[in-house]
Structures are given as C-alpha cells and as structure tokens.
Amino acid sequence: MEPAVEIENLTKVFPAHFGGRPVRAVDRVSIRIEPGEVYGLIGPNGSGKSTTMKALLGLVAPTSGTCRIFGADSLAVDSREQVGFLPENPYFYKHLSGAETLRFYGKLCGLRGKSLEARVDELLELVDLVEARDRRLGGYSKGMLQRIGLAQALVQEPRLVILDEPTAGVDPIGSRQIRDLVLALRERGITVFLCSHLLEQVQEVCDRVGIIFRGRMIREGRLEEMLSIEDQTELVLRDARPELVEEIRRLIEAADGAELVRAGRPRTTLERLFLRETVDRNE
Amino acid sequence: MTARHRPLNPRRITVLAYHTFTQLVRMKVFYFLGAFAVILIAANFLRLPTHAAPEAVGVQLLYSIKSSCAGAMTLFSIVMAIVATGLLLPKDVEDRTLYTILAKPVPRLDYLLGKFFGVAALIFVSLLVMDLLMTGALQLRMGGVLEQQRAAGEAFGHPPEMIEAQLAETRALGPTWALQGAVFVIFLQSVVIISVALLLSTFSTSTLFTAIVGFLVVFIGFFQADAREAYFHGTGVLGKIGSAIMTTALPDLQLYKLIDAVIEGRPLEAFDLLKVTGVTLFYFVVYTFVSWLVIARKEF
C-alpha cells in the first residue's frame, strides 16, 4: 500500500538576509506515515516542525529531498486534494460565519449544491458548532476557531489531515475536544500528521512519534516502544489488601536480582483532575 | 495534473472573486457611496462664475455636476484599486488564511485572479451606482436647463434654428453615451491600477508599502507620456526601445484622460475606446503574468 506521507532526506535552507547566515531549518529528515496512522512530530520551538509541514504542503520548496502525499509530489496541486490542513493559530476570515467559512473552502475543493450543504451540516455537528453556525468568526473563541479550522480541513473528506499545533492557546476543555476529534478521525481511518510541543497530548493520541531537534530527526518509532522502560515492570492493583501488598513486597525481596523501585498510589494528571472537576461534573 | 486542478478554472476563480467582493463589502467600503451622494447634491447647488450668454444659462450647472462626479469616481476607483488590492494579499499571509487556501487544490494563479476580479467587481458595481446617480441627476437638471434656454432664446427673438443649435449643444453636456463610455474608461483605468497593486503586493509584505508605491506609480503614470517624449524623442531605435520599456514597466495613464473631453461635451470616438480597451488588456496580461511568476516561486 502506498504510504500516506513519504518524506525523503528533506533539507530546507533559508537564504541569508541582510548579511546574516543561511538558516538550515530542516536537515535530511525522512518520515514515512502509513495510511490510518496518527503520527506526532514533536520538538522545541524553532526545531523545524512547521517547515517540514509546509514543505509537505508545497508552501515551501525543499532545498533537496522529496515530499510525497499518497505518491503525488507535494509541489503539485493534485496532491492537495487528499489533504486537509490546520495551521498554527489560524484566524480565517472574520467577516464570514462558521457555515460560510465551510461553504467557501468546500467550493474551492469543487463541492456544490446539496452535497456541499450536507457536508457543512455534518462538519458543524462533528465539531459541535451547530449553534454558532451563523455567527461571524470575529465573535468565536480560540477553541471555536480551532474547531472550525479543523472542520475546514476536513471539508473535502481528505485521507490525510495535517495539524500544526492544533491546541496552541486553547483551554483544557477545548483542547480535550480537539483531542477527541483527532481520535474520531483515527476511528474513521483518516491519517493524521500533527506537530506539537504539548507532549502529553501527543502521547494520548499518537501511534508513532518523531522527535526533531535543530532540524534533525533524532528519534522515531512506535510510542509504546519508545516510552517503555526495558528493565522495569509495572503492576497496578485495585482494592488490594495491605497484607497482599506486603506479601508481594516480601516475594520481591526474596527474589534474586529483582528490586522494588517504587510503590504507592498512582497519580492522575492535573489536566484530568481539572476536566473531572469542570466538564465531567456538568455532564 | 487533472483537468479540474489546472490553473484558470472559471468556477474556482469566481468563488475567490465573490469571496473577495463580499470581504470588501463587509469592510463597509460602500459607505463611500454616501460621500458621493453628498458631492452630487453639493454639485447641484454649486454656482460657478460664468461668462456664458443668457441663452446658454444652466450649462455651468451641468458641467459642475459632471466634473464633480467624474472627479469623485476617478478618485474612488484609484484609492480603492490601490488600497483594497494592497490590503488583501499581505492580510491573508499575516493571518495565515493563505495557507489554508493554498493547502486546498487551488493553483496560485487562480488565487491571484480571484483577488483581481473581486476588487474589479467591487469597483465596477460602485462606478455603476455612481453613474446611475450622476445620469439621473443630469437627466433631471437638463430638462429644466433646456426649458430655460428655450425661453431665453425666444425672449431675445433668436431664430428657431439658432435656438435648436444651442439646445443640441446643451444636450451634448447631458447624460450621453459618450459619458457612459467615459465612465467605462475610468473603470479600465482602475483595472490597470489593480494589476499594478496586485503585482506590488506579491513581493511586498505591508499594505503601506504597496499603497505608497502604488500611488507613486499612478502619479508617474499621469505624466509618463510627457516624460517619454522628453527623454526619447528623436533618439532613434534605442530611444524607441527605451520608450517601449518605459511604457510597459510603468502604465501610461494619460491615455485614460478621455473623460476631460467628454465632460466638455466632445464625443468619444469608438476607436479611442477600443484603443484604451486594448491597452488595458495588455497591461492586465503583462502585470498579472509577472505577478504569477513572483507568487509561483514565493515561499510562505
């Protein structure tokens, strides 16, 4: 099967300006994403994440190397038929309402008439903006803008969705909504390529991740393989009596070579606590 | 490339043009029409000093309505063409809306043409409304002026042929087809200016830069023919080449000054109109082609 994304030895050097030095934003990066995967590209600010995405969308031309989307060269207009893109902090046109925004992008992709209207309704429902459909984007909150942005990215039913910092500046509730949408996309078999520096979210939704630093891919692989600590084993017990815990402890001490590293109550995250105390309580 | 993703797709360009038109309308640019109505009303009550004979009474009024309206139309179309065009592209880049558009299967040439036709449509509609208002005012006023002139001619005992000749002269100052042609020439001039502003905004990153350079190009354009004559007259083949380069690089807007003659009641020759239309098409194609060359290689 043809990979959804195939980036081979991508290098991007931005020329020097006003006597400065050329900037090597991306240095021989290769990424391959199979259809249906959720791939996260993580790295600090300025590490080359956005440039890699822009090269994949044909917004910047590679200095060397190639980018392909379902086999089509990403510099060709045709390749964009299969792609939906949500840029970092998008503003969109403030004079359009939510429904008008989706209609505009839908028409650009060749949708017309009843099929377009049906698609607009479906997407507004998907991103939970039905009630705000006729409100101009100038009055949308940051989270609503991100969701309408995600909806426009999906308007032509693309097989690949590229999300650049999809939760940047969004509060934890909006952030969770976007995370749930990404998970819904995965359920529908849509390939997702996202970049973020919010590591916990990447961890929650991605199948594979790549770590990019100073333009170079320094580590890449399946998330569970990368995160598991090879020489440690985790046991999580529910309703265990203290005697049982003590017995396990004794067994470990008696065993040759094994060592108890940590025991105690597992902790939730601050985000989960916040959501449980706010949204989940209302539900 | 599949057929529907080739550049110059009329449906896609229409979508982008309609969107640009809506964007500008919602930025309340049509408020300018209110200012135009005020100018029109003021022109109706303007009493210019006149040396016309009593039987030519009212001619100055028609002249004042036409010249005020034509001036307002020219000013509006130039300002709109430069500022609106110069605003759209940098704003799309700054707000990153351009990313979302170019991330769809939209060729960059279609994007440019969509912006162009959107601004052109806005100016066309505005000129049409202003033209209708001007024509209506002229029609209303001319009836009264003709009556006054006929009465004055008869009071002075002028022969009927002389009175008719005077009335024919006055009718030429009213809402003629030549006047409609002249308004169309104002529109053609704005087409050239939009093309220039679009070209400037492909490599500029600010509206201010595009506006300043755009107004400079327009200013030079009005004197370009004189400068060309002064620099290249009688300089042989090299002079002709230099003249051609200058005419291509900077639009010759002196060609569009046909409206001045029409305001004075002179007819607009079909050949002149055709010539101006041809020149406009030439500038549009050249500047749009260069804009496309710039934006096709531009990185965002």
Side-chain angles (χ1 to χ4, degrees):
Chain A
M1 195 188 290
E2 217 155 31
V5 171
E6 197 175 16
I7 298 173
E8 281 183 3
N9 287 316
L10 173 70
T11 297
K12 180 64 197 174
V13 181
F14 290 106
H17 285 296
F18 305 112
R21 290 163 57 185
V23 178
R24 186 173 283 264
V26 181
D27 191 3
R28 286 166 289 157
V29 165
S30 295
I31 299 171
R32 186 184 168 98
I33 307 174
E34 297 302 328
E37 263 188 336
V38 178
Y39 184 97
L41 186 62
I42 57 176
N45 290 336
S47 57
K49 304 186 296 286
S50 293
T51 306
T52 305
M53 288 195 161
K54 284 180 182 176
L56 186 59
L57 288 158
L59 294 170
V60 299
T63 306
S64 65
T66 56
C67 299
R68 293 187 167 274
I69 295 171
F70 293 107
D73 189 330
S74 62
L75 289 173
V77 175
D78 283 349
S79 70
R80 257 93 83 187
E81 193 170 17
Q82 302 293 345
V83 187
F85 175 54
L86 173 66
E88 184 183 359
N89 293 323
Y91 285 94
F92 300 110
Y93 293 111
K94 284 180 189 163
H95 65 279
L96 296 179
S97 68
E100 284 173 333
T101 300
L102 298 185
R103 257 181 235 124
F104 169 63
Y105 286 102
K107 283 178 184 171
L108 286 182
C109 297
L111 300 176
R112 294 283 182 283
K114 284 181 184 167
S115 62
L116 173 62
E117 285 307 313
R119 186 74 185 137
V120 168
D121 292 343
E122 185 191 344
L123 286 170
L124 286 169
E125 188 131 359
L126 179 75
V127 297
D128 196 19
L129 286 173
V130 176
E131 285 178 18
R133 61 176 294 145
D134 297 320
R135 203 190 305 165
R136 291 204 183 163
L137 298 198
Y140 273 30
S141 70
K142 186 88 181 83
M144 290 163 90
L145 278 176
Q146 290 292 104
R147 279 184 281 144
I148 201 73
L150 190 55
Q152 70 75 27
L154 297 170
V155 75
Q156 82 274 32
E157 299 190 61
R159 290 196 286 160
L160 168 68
V161 178
I162 299 176
L163 310 171
D164 189 0
E165 302 285 358
T167 53
V170 180
D171 66 25
I173 299 165
S175 181
R176 187 176 75 158
Q177 285 173 317
I178 290 168
R179 185 196 61 197
D180 291 346
L181 283 168
V182 173
L183 292 172
L185 294 179
R186 180 164 65 181
E187 291 287 304
R188 292 158 72 165
I190 295 171
T191 313
V192 179
F193 179 22
L194 67 90
C195 79
S196 177
H197 54 250
L198 297 175
L199 306 182
E200 194 177 343
Q201 286 180 352
V202 173
Q203 189 179 340
E204 280 181 316
V205 297
C206 291
D207 301 312
R208 282 200 309 134
V209 293
I211 303 173
I212 191 169
F213 184 62
R214 291 182 182 162
R216 290 192 179 177
M217 185 68 85
I218 53 170
R219 187 117 188 249
E220 193 192 30
R222 294 204 73 78
L223 196 64
E224 63 264 32
E225 289 165 11
M226 288 172 77
L227 294 182
S228 61
I229 303 169
E230 290 296 320
D231 62 346
Q232 293 188 10
T233 305
E234 191 175 52
L235 281 175
V236 179
L237 308 175
R238 176 178 285 155
D239 297 333
R241 287 174 289 109
E243 302 84 60
L244 175 63
V245 176
E246 200 49 46
E247 197 175 333
I248 293 170
R249 204 185 285 270
R250 271 201 305 275
L251 280 169
I252 294 167
E253 280 167 10
D256 191 26
E259 180 196 358
L260 180 66
V261 178
R262 184 179 59 249
R265 292 181 189 281
R267 289 183 181 193
T268 184
T269 63
L270 190 57
E271 185 192 332
R272 282 191 204 126
L273 176 69
F274 175 80
L275 291 170
R276 195 174 66 210
E277 295 300 322
T278 54
V279 181
D280 296 349
R281 176 172 290 193
N282 290 336
E283 283 168 1
Chain B
M1 193 184 288
T2 56
R4 68 196 181 104
H5 295 148
R6 284 194 192 118
L8 300 174
N9 181 313
R11 288 176 84 168
R12 196 164 38 224
I13 293 169
T14 309
V15 170
L16 287 160
Y18 180 71
H19 169 260
T20 304
F21 181 83
T22 313
Q23 184 180 11
L24 291 169
V25 169
R26 291 187 183 175
M27 286 164 103
K28 300 182 173 54
V29 290
F30 278 142
Y31 279 16
F32 183 88
L33 292 174
F36 180 81
V38 172
I39 291 169
L40 187 63
I41 292 163
N44 258 290
F45 295 102
L46 201 62
R47 293 281 176 266
L48 293 173
T50 177
H51 302 291
E55 60 269 27
V57 65
V59 165
Q60 280 301 322
L61 173 68
L62 298 178
Y63 181 82
S64 125
I65 292 174
K66 280 205 296 188
S67 61
S68 312
C69 291
M73 284 182 196
T74 308
L75 181 71
F76 168 81
S77 61
I78 292 174
V79 171
M80 208 59 217
I82 294 175
V83 177
T85 315
L87 175 82
L88 295 173
L89 234 85
K91 191 168 162 52
D92 274 7
V93 176
E94 197 183 318
D95 289 353
R96 297 173 198 182
T97 37
L98 184 64
Y99 297 178
T100 55
I101 293 173
L102 296 183
K104 302 285 182 207
V106 176
R108 295 182 182 194
L109 179 60
D110 289 12
Y111 171 77
L112 272 184
L113 289 173
K115 292 286 170 199
F116 172 86
F117 285 116
V119 180
L122 180 95
I123 293 176
F124 184 82
V125 171
S126 307
L127 286 176
L128 191 69
V129 173
M130 287 192 268
D131 186 27
L132 285 173
L133 287 171
M134 176 180 72
T135 305
L138 280 174
Q139 188 68 41
L140 278 173
R141 290 304 232 163
M142 199 178 64
V145 169
L146 290 175
E147 281 303 310
Q148 278 181 298
Q149 287 184 350
R150 188 183 295 279
E154 282 168 358
F156 281 106
H158 290 159
E161 309 85 63
M162 198 176 156
I163 296 172
E164 277 311 313
Q166 174 62 52
L167 295 182
E169 258 182 55
T170 305
R171 279 192 197 97
L173 292 169
T176 58
W177 283 111
L179 187 61
Q180 307 308 315
V183 174
F184 183 62
V185 172
I186 295 178
F187 172 69
L188 291 178
Q189 178 180 272
S190 65
V191 164
V192 176
I193 299 171
I194 297 168
S195 309
V196 171
L198 200 62
L199 171 58
L200 291 171
S201 63
T202 53
F203 53 81
S204 126
T205 49
S206 82
T207 305
L208 191 63
F209 174 84
T210 307
I212 290 170
V213 180
F215 281 116
L216 201 63
V217 171
V218 169
F219 181 74
I220 295 168
F222 286 127
F223 300 99
Q224 201 233 76
D226 296 332
R228 214 169 53 220
E229 182 68 18
Y231 293 148
F232 301 114
H233 184 68
T235 50
V237 179
L238 278 178
K240 281 184 180 167
I241 294 170
S243 175
I245 291 171
M246 191 174 175
T247 313
T248 309
L250 295 165
D252 179 0
L253 298 179
Q254 238 163 323
L255 289 168
Y256 296 84
K257 282 197 155 185
L258 299 172
I259 191 146
D260 294 346
V262 175
I263 288 172
E264 283 163 14
R266 288 202 289 274
L268 180 65
E269 300 295 334
F271 174 76
D272 288 338
L273 197 58
L274 271 175
K275 185 180 156 192
V276 171
T277 308
V279 170
T280 303
L281 202 62
F282 169 77
Y283 281 130
F284 165 67
V285 170
V286 169
Y287 294 147
T288 307
F289 180 69
V290 179
S291 303
W292 175 62
L293 288 181
V294 176
I295 206 167
R297 284 157 182 76
K298 191 162 180 168
E299 297 189 326
F300 297 101

